[in-house]
Amino acid sequence: MSNEEVVAKTAEFIKNKFANDSTGHDWWHLYRVWQLSKHIASKEKGANMLVVELAALLHDIADHKFHGGDMEIGATEVGKWLRKIYVDSKTIEHVQNIVRNISFKGVDHKIELNTLEGHIVHDADKLDAMGAIGIARAMAFGGAHGRLIYSPDIPIMENYEFEKTNTSNSTGIHHFYEKMLLLKDRMFTRTGKQMAAHRHKYMEEYLKEFYSEWDGTL
Ligand code: ADP
Ligand code: NI
């Protein structure tokens, strides 16, 4: 099978698998991360595109949060699929390493992504939680979890600890401070940093508009 066929088959597999997903990782998130990854890779140069495209498509294949905390579940599923379509073991291991480290959450787990391909897919995934799309995703997530878009009764803390603040006492706007505004400083690639700066500025402007409308002054 050519690399193009391997990528096309994987996209089709993932599109079917995530057609009705309600965990926040629907097919279109994976599609956007795939497109973003290709764009970043085209600017950064030198990346193994088969690894980049497969890792982008497969990065959310199985979330440990829904599998009894099994931290290896993503890598296991990746291995099963890629062996089935006869991808070579070196490529499989690299993709597994990226999937394993991108999905790691929690303070005890330092992100161990040390390849260009890993950095590219990581930045693409984080960019999709920023900007216009990131705002829409946060509001959709909030709605699905019974949260308000905003409440001035809930104080906004000064220092949120990244990915440690999934409390019920939160809103869509609070999520900006919990995560979305912290992402620009976590990018690895030059292109990722540039794109994050643009999306960050947009989110700051959005917040200004939001608060003015809230107060009825705009
Ligand atoms: P990722 O795909 O980066 O691993 P998550 O699984 O943590 O992200 O979240 C999926 C989407 O839902 C992201 O856009 C994220 O910002 C959003 N989200 C996660 N937690 C919250 C929350 N507490 N409130 C609002 N949105 C959230
Ligand atoms: Ni993702």
Side-chain angles (χ1 to χ4, degrees), residues 115-186:
T115 65
L116 173 61
E117 292 77 7
H119 290 169
I120 289 170
V121 179
H122 168 276
D123 287 2
D125 189 35
K126 296 307 163 228
L127 279 166
D128 202 49
M130 302 179 71
I133 299 262
I135 295 169
R137 289 180 79 205
M139 293 302 174
F141 181 102
H145 290 79
R147 291 180 187 175
L148 294 170
I149 56 170
Y150 176 53
S151 163
D153 292 340
I154 302 172
I156 287 171
M157 294 193 288
E158 277 213 352
N159 293 303
Y160 281 100
E161 262 187 79
F162 192 77
E163 276 166 0
K164 218 190 142 187
T165 44
N166 251 332
T167 61
S168 54
N169 202 22
S170 181
T171 71
I173 290 297
H174 283 72
H175 192 59
F176 278 74
Y177 305 93
E178 293 165 357
K179 179 176 182 184
M180 293 151 70
L181 292 171
L182 309 179
L183 291 169
K184 89 168 164 39
D185 294 330
R186 301 173 72 95

Side-chain angles (χ1 to χ4, degrees), residues 27-40:
W27 155 248
W28 295 112
H29 164 62
L30 304 167
Y31 171 83
R32 291 188 302 267
V33 172
W34 181 26
Q35 303 311 308
L36 268 168
S37 296
K38 285 193 278 188
H39 176 76
I40 297 171

